[in-house]
Amino acid sequence: MRRQDSIREGSVLVWTVLVIAILSLIGVETLRLVTAKYQNALQTSTWQESLLAAESGIDLAIVELRKSLYPQPNHAWDG
């Protein structure tokens, strides 16, 4: 009788370890997918921010160039 209980307890231990391993694999895969999506979103937002900064710089340069078209004193390129 004691032998049957020992085998049953060992079987439960194996199943528990197996379930924990499967859940761990699912968690690791989920974390990997979320990390990849996060990196992609971060790269896209950084690219958009850089594009906005470049366009703003171009707009400022165009404003300064237009100032130089007006007659003197136009204060173009001061400061």
Side-chain angles (χ1 to χ4, degrees), residues 2 5 10 12 14-15 18 29-30 41 43-44 46-47 50 54 60 62 67-69 73 77-78:
R2 182 76 181 140
D5 289 340
V12 170
V14 169
W15 278 107
L18 186 63
E29 184 63 22
T30 302
Q43 184 178 10
T44 302
T46 304
W47 182 82
S50 299
L60 287 174
I62 288 173
K67 279 184 188 177
S68 64
L69 296 176
W77 309 103
D78 288 347

Side-chain angles (χ1 to χ4, degrees), residues 7-74:
I7 290 173
R8 198 171 290 151
E9 288 174 0
S11 174
V12 170
L13 180 63
V14 169
W15 278 107
T16 303
V17 170
L18 186 63
V19 168
I20 289 173
I22 290 171
L23 289 175
S24 296
L25 288 174
I26 291 171
V28 166
E29 184 63 22
T30 302
L31 184 63
R32 188 185 67 81
L33 288 173
V34 167
T35 302
K37 297 241 182 221
Y38 173 76
Q39 290 294 332
N40 191 16
L42 182 65
Q43 184 178 10
T44 302
S45 68
T46 304
W47 182 82
Q48 289 292 335
E49 187 177 341
S50 299
L51 181 64
L52 181 63
E55 287 176 349
S56 297
I58 290 170
D59 288 341
L60 287 174
I62 288 173
V63 166
E64 290 299 319
L65 287 172
R66 284 187 179 167
K67 279 184 188 177
S68 64
L69 296 176
Y70 300 130
Q72 289 293 335
N74 57 17

